[in-house]
Amino acid sequence: MLKHKDHFHGSDLEKIEEIYGIKKETITSFSANVNPLGISPLLRDTLSRHVDAITSYPDREYTQLRKSICAYTGAQFENIIVGNGSTELISLFIQTTHPEKALILGPTYSEYEREISLEGGQTLYYPLREENDFQMDVDDFCSKLNDTIDLLVLCNPNNPTASAISRKEMRKILDTALQYGTFVMVDETYEEFAPAERKISSIPLTNNYTNLIVLRGISKFFAAPGLRLGYAVTGNPDLLKHINTKKNPWTINSLAEIAGCIMFSDQEYIEKTKKLITSERERMMKELSQIEQVKIYPSCTNFILVKILKETITSEMVFEHCIKKGLMIRDCSTFPFLDNSYIRFCIMSPEKNSELLSAIKESLSLV
């Protein structure tokens, strides 16, 4: 197993408060990758009216919630399964399929490797190359597949590189994987931040491929990690049956079920989020590209990966400078295949984004 160093997660504000003596309420987390608009206004205004729902058990089939997800994503109703965050569904999928050997796109989220290891599986990594701006060479990737690999794990768009695989490229991966009997798990946690014209989502492909499962949650785009609501889409009925057999009933509470239905229908909030992320991403990329001491990588989601080119400045130094101003970024030296020249930060409000850009510029002139 690759060694994952200790790091500050975007939710570790108590730890930051203890170490740096900064009140957590004053910290802006550019590390958590959460929608800066906060929760859906429609949800805020209406959820309290449904509080009596907790006096009854949720619908065991979560019919209304799955219909809402169907309307929101275009997935077929019978292909949708819901869970207590996408983390539960990742665990259930791994427990159900028992992959002996998995190939993971890297650098990426460490939980995939952990879950596979807990089931006794072996993990290999296909590292994205910096010289290609961390964009996947699909032909090369497909050439690495063989019949010893049971599972491919692809975060798309990928965290922390912000790179993405197009739907056309994903078809090629799925076709190749199908030849070897390999299942493909695609984590689309950040897909909703991507422009629609990029055609990144693999959900439409679940209608044609039985070796595919797509996972999503509401933690990032809908800014509701505390609700613990996730869903998966697959066109493999046997897999759905097996996961449902392992899955405990009622892992989503009644209010989370109702909240999901409300959020997925808040079209004004959804469009406002996409507009903000797109405009601020373009602005920040433009400003960062004018700084000679850094290199930025293409992003189609709500965060940006940056390489520090000034040899006397490290990611830890930039983190320290920013956190003392109440701005928490991610030191990416903790990711496999990256070192202490990489930082990552998400897109927040225009005002906070400007503060962060100024702080980064300041940090580059420290030494």
Side-chain angles (χ1 to χ4, degrees), residues 66 76-81 96 183 206-213 233-245:
R66 289 164 62 212
Q76 293 187 28
F77 175 80
E78 62 273 16
N79 291 349
I80 299 169
I81 186 170
T96 300
F183 219 97
T206 58
N207 297 326
N208 307 108
Y209 292 90
T210 56
N211 64 328
L212 170 65
I213 185 168
V233 183
T234 180
N236 188 316
D238 291 333
L239 177 63
L240 284 169
K241 181 180 178 181
H242 289 311
I243 291 177
N244 275 315
T245 300

Side-chain angles (χ1 to χ4, degrees), residues 118-133:
L118 287 173
E119 285 298 305
Q122 176 190 2
T123 55
L124 306 173
Y125 276 85
Y126 177 88
L128 296 170
R129 298 185 180 92
E130 193 278 337
E131 59 266 29
N132 292 339
D133 287 344

Side-chain angles (χ1 to χ4, degrees), residues 20 25 67 85 92 98 124 137 160 172 203 205 213 220 222-223 225 236 242 258 273 277 285 322 325 329 338 352:
Y20 292 94
E25 294 81 10
K67 284 182 178 178
L92 286 168
H98 297 289
L124 306 173
D137 181 333
K172 184 165 188 176
I203 286 179
L205 302 181
I213 185 168
K220 306 301 184 181
F222 289 98
N236 188 316
H242 289 311
I258 293 167
T273 297
I277 297 300
M285 296 283 280
C322 291
K325 293 179 176 292
I329 63 171
L338 298 183
K352 286 296 179 181

Side-chain angles (χ1 to χ4, degrees), residues 268-312:
E268 183 178 347
Y269 166 82
I270 291 166
E271 292 304 319
K272 189 176 180 180
T273 297
K274 290 179 179 289
K275 184 177 179 180
L276 171 65
I277 297 300
T278 299
S279 62
E280 281 300 290
R281 180 176 58 231
E282 290 176 358
R283 180 176 77 90
M284 293 184 80
M285 296 283 280
K286 183 178 180 180
E287 289 206 30
L288 287 162
S289 67
Q290 295 170 359
I291 304 174
E292 291 183 358
Q293 299 102 321
V294 301
K295 177 181 178 180
I296 56 172
Y297 300 92
S299 172
C300 64
T301 188
N302 70 322
F303 55 85
I304 299 169
L305 180 68
V306 173
K307 183 176 184 179
I308 303 160
L309 301 178
K310 192 173 181 179
E311 292 183 0
T312 54

